[in-house]
Amino acid sequence: MCTTSGQAAVLLSLLNICNAGDSFISTTEIYGGSINLFSFTLKKLGIECIYIDKNDSDQEISKAFKPNTRAVFGETIANPALTVLDIERFARLTHQHHVPLIVDNTFATPILCKPFEYGADIIVHSTSKYMDGHAVQIGGAIVDSGNFDWTCGKFPGLTEPDESYHGISYTDTYGKKAYIVKARMQLMRDFGVYPAAHSAFLLNLGLETLAVRMKQYCENTMMVARYLEQSPYVEKVNYPGLESDENYALAKKYLKGCSGVISFIIKGGKENAMWFMNTLHLASNEVHVADIRTYVLHPASETHRQLNDEQLAAAGIDSGMVRLSVGLESVEDIISDLEQAFSSLTI
């Protein structure tokens, strides 16, 4: 089911199974907009988000589950920490507690990762990113595997009669399609977050070249990541395609490429990070990401600026961190631009 934005897809994916008084679990390393949605807006609606460190033991994570927990949420490749979710492990844990695993697969796209193959139940995308690829439309999508058993007793909204829609039971009437049909008949109808026809047309144009573009993003970005790894101006590079990255083993297991986004920490902290970004010529400072053009962004003061220091640390964000979205320009030109910007720094 397509939506007006990735945020709308995330919102509806949870509202479809969570009511006031319910809770859900999320990893801390997720997009800043999702953190705000979970921590404030959903909280006002009476839905609690319980954050967990995805590196905790199974026992520690299991302690976060409550009788009213209705889902677990995580990102395949976290924005902007660039960590990789151990999908198979989280699917096993969530299913032990009879709740679904929702995975935001925006950065990986279905070209690089298919979370359903590892046990995920629901996938959400911001189609504004790689699926579009050209920054011409805002959109999102919810994809239901049809594999989760909603009749386990925790999801009356799917099993009991819906008074707003002729008293039907979604599971009785639609079987494996129950979740996505409920999202369409109930939430899409009530919230009206359906994409405009022209937006859908533009998205489809992007999808037709997605496989070709993702291959080139991955090739360009690996070369840039290796350059950054050797730079004396860089304290740390986060890119799971690098053998030195702590997420390399998970990336090899789940991904056919690590997409086109890198985050790295510049020596000298925020001041040097901002100077570096402002000195770039080819790359521009944009909140957008995953485009054919190369963009940079300072997460701590832009996408995640609403977070306090503790929340930033939990999300894997340092004040000197720059998020680099590598585009499809000549990789030699991209590296040359980074090099001239670094040369202006004092460390």
Side-chain angles (χ1 to χ4, degrees):
M1 183 180 80
C2 289
T3 61
T4 47
S5 67
Q7 278 292 82
V10 171
L11 174 64
L12 266 58
S13 74
L14 289 162
L15 288 184
N16 206 31
I17 50 178
C18 293
N19 297 314
D22 288 339
S23 69
F24 68 97
I25 293 168
S26 174
T27 60
T28 55
E29 294 173 329
I30 57 173
Y31 169 56
S34 297
I35 292 174
N36 199 74
L37 170 67
F38 295 171
S39 302
F40 298 98
T41 304
L42 286 181
K43 183 179 179 181
K44 292 176 183 177
L45 300 179
I47 299 171
E48 177 189 18
C49 178
I50 302 164
Y51 289 103
I52 52 102
D53 183 336
K54 62 185 175 187
N55 295 316
D56 281 346
S57 67
D58 289 4
Q59 292 75 19
E60 283 298 311
I61 293 173
S62 291
K63 290 178 183 177
F65 286 85
K66 297 180 178 182
N68 68 352
T69 298
R70 296 294 178 260
V72 175
F73 182 92
E75 295 181 356
T76 306
I77 304 175
N79 177 14
L82 276 297
T83 55
V84 179
L85 183 69
D86 191 342
I87 302 169
E88 200 165 52
R89 174 186 176 226
F90 271 82
R92 172 174 49 79
L93 282 170
T94 58
H95 294 159
Q96 286 173 0
H97 294 272
H98 308 291
V99 299
L101 175 62
I102 303 174
V103 174
D104 185 331
N105 200 38
T106 295
F107 274 10
T109 79
I111 304 300
L112 304 182
C113 182
K114 294 180 171 60
F116 290 155
E117 294 181 356
Y118 304 99
D121 301 291
I122 298 151
I123 295 171
V124 293
H125 297 280
S126 170
T127 63
S128 321
K129 310 303 190 298
Y130 286 121
M131 286 185 168
D132 167 352
H134 302 77
V136 293
Q137 64 85 43
I138 300 294
I142 303 172
V143 189
D144 176 20
S145 70
N147 293 329
F148 189 79
D149 180 12
W150 302 106
T151 64
C152 61
K154 292 190 172 186
F155 304 96
L158 283 153
T159 58
E160 295 181 3
D162 179 4
E163 294 181 5
S164 76
Y165 207 85
H166 311 299
I168 64 168
S169 161
Y170 293 101
T171 50
D172 288 349
T173 307
Y174 297 102
K176 287 190 171 185
K177 298 178 182 178
Y179 174 89
I180 204 70
V181 170
K182 178 178 180 292
R184 168 64 183 87
M185 290 184 173
Q186 191 182 82
L187 299 182
M188 181 66 79
R189 176 195 66 198
D190 290 350
F191 286 95
V193 287
Y194 51 86
H198 190 62
S199 296
F201 166 75
L202 293 171
L203 170 59
N204 190 62
L205 288 179
L207 288 172
E208 289 173 350
T209 62
L210 181 62
V212 178
R213 288 186 290 106
M214 292 311 295
K215 179 176 182 293
Q216 193 61 51
Y217 284 124
C218 293
E219 290 182 9
N220 278 8
T221 308
M222 181 59 73
M223 293 178 68
V224 173
R226 294 198 188 285
Y227 162 76
L228 291 171
E229 193 176 33
Q230 302 301 317
S231 173
Y233 299 94
V234 175
E235 187 176 307
K236 181 183 180 183
V237 180
N238 299 314
Y239 188 67
L242 293 172
E243 293 86 346
S244 60
D245 193 278
E246 58 191 22
N247 289 269
Y248 180 73
L250 287 174
K252 292 292 286 184
K253 176 178 180 178
Y254 293 114
L255 303 172
K256 295 179 180 177
C258 297
S259 85
V261 184
I262 304 170
S263 62
F264 59 97
I265 298 173
I266 293 181
K267 293 178 182 178
K270 180 180 179 180
E271 184 176 348
N272 268 1
M274 300 302 289
W275 180 271
F276 165 81
M277 290 167 52
N278 291 332
T279 312
L280 291 165
H281 299 312
L282 182 149
S284 58
N285 185 351
E286 306 284 351
V287 175
H288 192 48
V289 68
D291 196 334
I292 57 170
R293 294 159 285 264
T294 297
Y295 295 145
V296 289
L297 172 137
H298 186 250
S301 62
E302 294 182 75
T303 54
H304 291 67
R305 65 186 178 276
Q306 74 274 20
L307 306 187
N308 58 38
D309 290 343
E310 183 180 341
Q311 290 172 316
L312 286 171
I317 298 171
D318 184 274
S319 64
M321 178 182 281
V322 171
R323 187 185 73 185
L324 172 65
S325 180
V326 178
L328 299 184
E329 304 95 341
S330 160
V331 70
E332 289 81 8
D333 288 347
I334 296 170
I335 291 174
S336 177
D337 190 32
L338 299 175
E339 202 162 40
Q340 66 82 22
F342 279 132
S343 67
S344 70
L345 295 179
T346 302
I347 57 171

